[in-house]
Amino acid sequence: MHLTKTQRIPLVTLQDAASSRDEGSQFMIQLANLRDIDWEGFDMPHRHDGYTIDILLKGSVTQYIDFEKHTIHAPAIIMLEPEQIHQHDRSSDAEILALYFTRDFLITETLGVLSCWQCVFRNNILPLEESQLQEVLAFARILLTEFRNDKPRKEAIIRNVLTAFIIACGRIASPGNGVAEIYRPESNYGFSSALSVQFKMLVDQHFRERVQVAEYAEMLHVTPGHLNDTVKGAIGRSAKQVIDAKRIMEAKRLLFWQKHSIKQIAGELNFDDDAYFSRFFKKHTGQTPALFQKTIREKYN
């Protein structure tokens, strides 16, 4: 049994938030007060189809991200990956500088430079010291100026400054040498790097209906063994582990946010039956779906 389209968590696209002037853009930046944002459903549980970076400039916010509740005080950065379920509290008069860009906006520009700029988004919340705030605002101001103007090569400048901005965020998240993982060693240039990125993007898009490595290998025109070796060499996990981790994360999100039976959620994630889903979930988390759901909801409700 699958959830109907209307039962699913709403997916907000860049075009839902953009003005008619910015139609077709893959990037957006705006300065706003949380109370003034008029996107329909903004304060309800929802997802974005792209990456979001909010610089919290003033005030504080309470926000759910997936199945964790955060109270965040300025100055701070809030980073969200595509598909993460989140909910905002409009009661705050917090001021934010919000950046939003699509999944593939940075792929071309960064493929030969950064091995894993998405890794920076593992740190959803980055508290900032004043000096760090000024550092990221230096990049953000350039992005805001370029976005508002209509000058030649505007998009190229935005891509490159955004890349620098993300590197700066990674440096804050992992001081010292910790940020090195987002840089691409010269020996990793070329086809293998592109293959890993393409695989991860395909998993993000198709993990509900395609659960076998062979299916992705066929889509990428390589053998399952080559795909697995390439992915493991790039990120330290097998291709199957990447697929399973994506399914487990989505299962946790649905168990927390959706008011549906475990049987329905198992069907949504393409498991043959709820018994198999329960075994799969317990193998990867140490808990049954029912126990996880009960524990996490009691924690916050």
Side-chain angles (χ1 to χ4, degrees):
M1 183 184 298
H2 293 268
L3 309 181
T4 66
K5 185 175 181 180
T6 56
Q7 291 173 323
R8 293 175 179 167
I9 298 292
L11 182 70
V12 178
T13 69
L14 178 60
Q15 299 313 311
D16 294 328
S19 66
S20 58
R21 178 179 66 85
D22 305 316
E23 188 173 352
S25 174
Q26 297 186 76
F27 173 85
M28 185 184 74
I29 181 171
Q30 67 172 354
L31 181 65
N33 186 292
L34 277 183
R35 289 179 178 174
D36 298 333
I37 295 177
D38 59 358
W39 305 348
E40 184 177 354
F42 177 76
D43 51 358
M44 301 296 292
H46 63 280
R47 311 174 191 254
H48 292 167
D49 69 338
Y51 292 87
T52 304
I53 305 175
D54 292 336
I55 306 176
L56 181 59
L57 300 171
K58 297 178 182 177
S60 62
V61 295
T62 298
Q63 183 171 351
Y64 280 97
I65 300 176
D66 285 333
F67 35 85
E68 296 288 339
K69 184 179 181 180
H70 303 270
T71 299
I72 310 154
H73 301 277
I77 291 176
I78 306 167
M79 309 182 78
L80 297 173
E81 292 184 285
E83 303 285 339
Q84 284 195 286
I85 300 174
H86 55 287
Q87 181 178 10
H88 303 276
D89 180 359
R90 282 187 184 272
S91 63
S92 170
D93 62 352
E95 185 175 273
I96 61 170
L97 185 59
L99 295 85
Y100 189 103
F101 57 98
T102 60
R103 290 175 186 264
D104 58 352
F105 184 64
L106 288 185
I107 294 299
T108 303
E109 298 291 327
T110 63
L111 192 55
V113 180
L114 303 178
S115 59
C116 186
W117 58 262
Q118 299 96 330
C119 295
V120 178
F121 285 78
R122 294 173 185 164
N123 303 279
N124 289 128
I125 312 298
L126 296 180
L128 300 176
E129 298 176 0
E130 183 60 30
S131 61
Q132 294 170 330
L133 173 63
Q134 295 308 316
E135 179 182 355
V136 297
L137 282 180
F139 296 108
R141 290 187 183 105
I142 298 173
L143 291 170
L144 188 60
T145 299
E146 287 295 326
F147 181 72
R148 288 175 171 174
N149 292 331
D150 190 20
K151 295 181 178 180
R153 302 295 293 164
K154 163 183 172 177
E155 193 167 284
I157 291 175
I158 288 176
R159 280 195 175 105
N160 282 279
V161 175
L162 180 59
T163 298
F165 175 85
I166 292 172
I167 293 173
C169 291
R171 185 165 57 187
I172 293 169
S174 302
N177 294 326
V179 74
E181 70 172 336
I182 73 171
Y183 294 103
R184 181 177 307 287
E186 187 173 350
S187 60
N188 285 341
Y189 282 16
F191 176 71
S192 62
S193 302
L195 183 63
S196 297
V197 172
Q198 290 168 347
F199 168 70
K200 179 63 168 59
M201 292 178 67
L202 287 174
V203 171
D204 287 345
Q205 295 170 24
H206 300 291
F207 70 93
R208 291 177 181 85
E209 68 274 12
R210 298 181 186 271
V211 301
Q212 300 299 327
V213 175
E215 295 177 284
Y216 292 94
E218 183 177 359
M219 294 168 72
L220 293 165
H221 308 292
V222 297
T223 66
H226 178 67
L227 177 60
N228 191 67
D229 290 344
T230 300
V231 172
K232 192 164 187 178
I235 64 175
R237 292 188 295 166
S238 69
K240 182 60 174 172
Q241 286 174 321
V242 172
I243 298 168
D244 288 349
K246 184 69 178 181
R247 298 179 83 197
I248 286 293
M249 176 56 72
E250 183 65 10
K252 288 180 175 180
R253 289 167 176 164
L254 295 180
L255 287 165
F256 180 68
W257 287 104
Q258 293 281 23
K259 298 185 183 300
H260 298 286
S261 69
I262 291 172
K263 184 178 182 66
Q264 288 175 308
I265 292 173
E268 174 70 5
L269 296 175
N270 205 32
F271 286 90
D272 293 335
D273 54 59
D274 52 325
Y276 175 43
F277 170 56
S278 294
R279 291 194 301 271
F280 178 87
F281 191 91
K282 186 172 183 179
K283 174 185 174 182
H284 288 277
T285 69
Q287 294 179 301
T288 64
L291 179 59
F292 171 82
Q293 186 179 61
K294 178 176 182 293
T295 302
I296 197 68
R297 287 184 175 178
E298 286 179 349
K299 181 177 179 182
Y300 293 118
N301 297 317

